[in-house]
Amino acid sequence: MEEFALLVPLLLAIGGLVVGALLKSLLRRSRVPYTVALFAVGLLVGLADRYGLFRAVPEVGEALTGVANINPDFILYIFLPVLIFDAAYELNLHIFKKTLANATLLAVPGLVICMLLTAVLLMVISLAVPGYGQWTWPFALMFGALISATDPVAVVALLHELKTSKRFSTLVDAESLLNDGTGIVCFMLFFGVYTAAGQSEVSPVMQFVQVVAGGVLLGYMAARVVIWFITRINSEALIQNSVIIFSAYLVFILSQYYLGLSGVIALVAFGLTIAYVGKPRLKPQVNEFMESFWDLLTYMANTLVFIIVGVVIAVKVDFTWSHFGVLLLIYVGLNVFRFLMIMMLYPLMKRLGYGLSKRESVILTWGGLRGALGLTLALMVSYTPAIPEDIRSQVLFFTAGIVTLTLCINATTTRWLLGKLGLIHVPSARILMERRVQERIRESGEKYFERLKTREPLAGANWKKVAGYVAPLPDKAPLSAARSQDVLAELRLRVLDREKAFSREIYDEGIISQTAFRRLMNSLDELYDHDGTYPLDLRRSIFDFCSRTQALYRMQKLPYFSRWTGFYFRERIMVIYDLGRGFIILQREDLKLLDDLASSGLVQPSQTGLLQALRREVEHNIEGMNHVIGRLAADFPKAYNHALTQKAIRMVLSNERRTIRQMQADGVLSDKDAAQYFARVDERSDEVNSFTHTIPASILRWFFQHRGRK
């Protein structure tokens, strides 16, 4: 019996994951969000236990009671780090930086506004409704803080399912991550009065600044240390991933428990730094494993968290109709307060970053879900004897009710609302191109089907049944005619997609350096911001960076170069060369893609002029970059030759990697043996990076003095 008691948590986790797997398969064609279905299952199981349906199996009843009485710190320290780190790690840093101002407005002043309005509502209820007279301003503000923050667990899970616009989903995602930290900080300011933590002598504003700023600093510094460590150990991908995983937990525990900082903010800073600085430095197989591993871990955490939340609410919360009326009032009030807050901030938000449309502000209001985090904080309140029992039970009931209502009403209707507002509208040009792709696939399938019918070995096949598996015809629903400008924008986006994928490919093969890779990706992000309306030859960030070499010409008048100055300019010339050659490789790949589009029939004959326009833009890029590289060769021959040497070395190493990869695919080398050969190539690649520091600064000094004598 004791052995079974030890196995109960494991068996419950396995059971939850089995239920999740079944729901995932059943809901494939349903519009019900997966997380809402999990929450409903948790509610049903909890209610079944509450009304004694598991009496025949007392072990199950005891196990569910244990889940209902779960320590809130278990959710906070076990599940939250996984979900927060994964959300931060998956954020596009370029989009995040442009949405940060709006997300901060929502997460700090926005949350404070909602917190104050919620506290006012509760104080009005305490004066007007019998049974709520024990509510005071500290209690009301504490509840306002824990219920006003949108929950990242619920919001992120919903956005991943709805596949909304990357910019808008990043804004909602960033707000939920940031105001999650803000909400915990504000909650602890009032909750700490009733716990051993007591009151701090520091003012609330300064305490908030310290907690947030300290969290950011800790997360960033920890990420830099982790990146430094894992890039210097010549070890397996499993060990490098293990370091990142336990570091994520360590950062959260250190900041949240030991240092009194915001664990969420620290983990967001940690995840963003790992993603932006660490990803390009890690081996491709490490990044692939990281993405797969965190996807699995996040799926498991989401599955278990929402089932646990459902069970806790069903078992722990005592339902009364009198409280239910007040709950509905608070639910309506929270949605109204969030709408008022967004309207107050809207004049600023529509001008910052990507801006905010009125339709998006409606979704932002309605998508303010509450979930596991709010319930965790409410459980902390319910376990605090210093708080009056009536307040504890009411806080738990209201929080559980708001979580239930937002998940069951807001989450399930968000998809419908997005469609009504046209926020998941697909442009006609994209639909037409996708239809042509489907037509090509259908045409190829039909031809192959006819050839199969003539093969004698397959004479007895049921061809009528086989025909049902040929690719279906595309939807023929009428569409508005796509304008040439829209088609051109769609074609540009396809070219940018190809450039982005090929940039990663040539970087992984060692053809371009990390710095060049980052600058290429930044230039692509800038064009993505304009949805294909900007021409492909508008690459300001790349050409502005290269044009700064003009500043080197003025240095020839200086009689002496310090070693640091010479090193800086030499490295800069090498980066420009590497960036330029990588850029030209991408542009030539673009030309191949345009040729493929022209011959594929995906573009109508009347629109072939659009492909010619794109070709001119790409050729203009090649011409401009060739001019830049030609000037580098003429003005800085020694540094240019050194860059060529580095390029040749990287190409030799890249060829060796390709050879090893091919032998691995052919079965000549096992995966284990291939890993050893890859490690040897990586060692020589590290030597190349150190070799770049061996050219003395006298090269540039001699070069400028020599040009001066001429």
Side-chain angles (χ1 to χ4, degrees), residues 425-434 479-483 486-487:
H425 171 70
V426 181
S428 298
R430 186 171 305 168
I431 296 175
L432 287 172
M433 193 161 290
E434 288 176 356
L479 286 172
S480 58
R483 299 180 304 168
D486 296 335
V487 176

Side-chain angles (χ1 to χ4, degrees), residues 7 28 74 164 167 237 253 457 582 594 618 641:
L7 288 174
R28 269 188 313 179
F74 182 81
T164 53
R167 298 173 195 170
I253 294 170
L594 294 176
V618 173
N641 290 337

Side-chain angles (χ1 to χ4, degrees), residues 400-451:
I402 295 301
V403 169
T404 303
L405 291 172
T406 56
L407 286 177
C408 293
I409 297 176
N410 297 50
T412 54
T413 55
T414 298
R415 187 193 300 271
W416 172 84
L417 190 58
L418 283 167
K420 284 293 182 182
L421 294 175
L423 292 178
I424 52 177
H425 171 70
V426 181
S428 298
R430 186 171 305 168
I431 296 175
L432 287 172
M433 193 161 290
E434 288 176 356
R435 284 185 180 180
R436 293 190 195 108
V437 170
Q438 293 171 13
E439 287 171 357
R440 290 293 305 277
I441 295 173
R442 170 73 178 192
E443 181 183 346
S444 175
E446 287 177 339
K447 290 180 179 178
Y448 186 69
F449 175 73
E450 293 300 326
R451 288 199 303 270

Side-chain angles (χ1 to χ4, degrees), residues 144-193:
L146 76 88
I147 205 64
S148 295
T150 57
D151 184 67
V153 178
V155 174
V156 172
L158 179 66
L159 291 177
H160 285 178
E161 288 187 65
L162 296 181
K163 298 180 181 178
T164 53
S165 159
K166 189 69 175 176
R167 298 173 195 170
F168 181 65
S169 63
T170 301
L171 171 61
V172 181
D173 202 348
E175 184 219 350
S176 66
L177 290 171
L178 296 179
N179 76 7
D180 184 48
T182 307
I184 292 178
V185 172
C186 293
F187 169 79
M188 294 305 298
L189 291 177
F190 302 103
F191 179 70
V193 176

Side-chain angles (χ1 to χ4, degrees), residues 15 91 105 136 232 262 307 309 311 314 339 376 424 538 545 645:
L91 283 175
L105 281 175
T136 61
R232 277 159 181 77
S262 172
I307 292 177
V309 168
V311 171
F339 176 75
T376 300
I424 52 177
L538 195 64
F545 174 75
T645 304

Side-chain angles (χ1 to χ4, degrees), residues 228-268:
W228 174 85
F229 178 74
I230 63 178
T231 53
R232 277 159 181 77
I233 57 172
N234 185 18
S235 187
E236 297 179 359
L238 288 174
I239 295 178
Q240 294 181 338
N241 279 284
S242 299
V243 171
I244 294 174
I245 292 163
F246 78 68
S247 297
Y249 273 96
L250 187 62
V251 165
F252 187 81
I253 294 170
L254 277 176
S255 54
Q256 189 72 30
Y257 185 78
Y258 288 102
L259 301 178
L261 305 174
S262 172
V264 174
I265 298 297
L267 209 49
V268 170

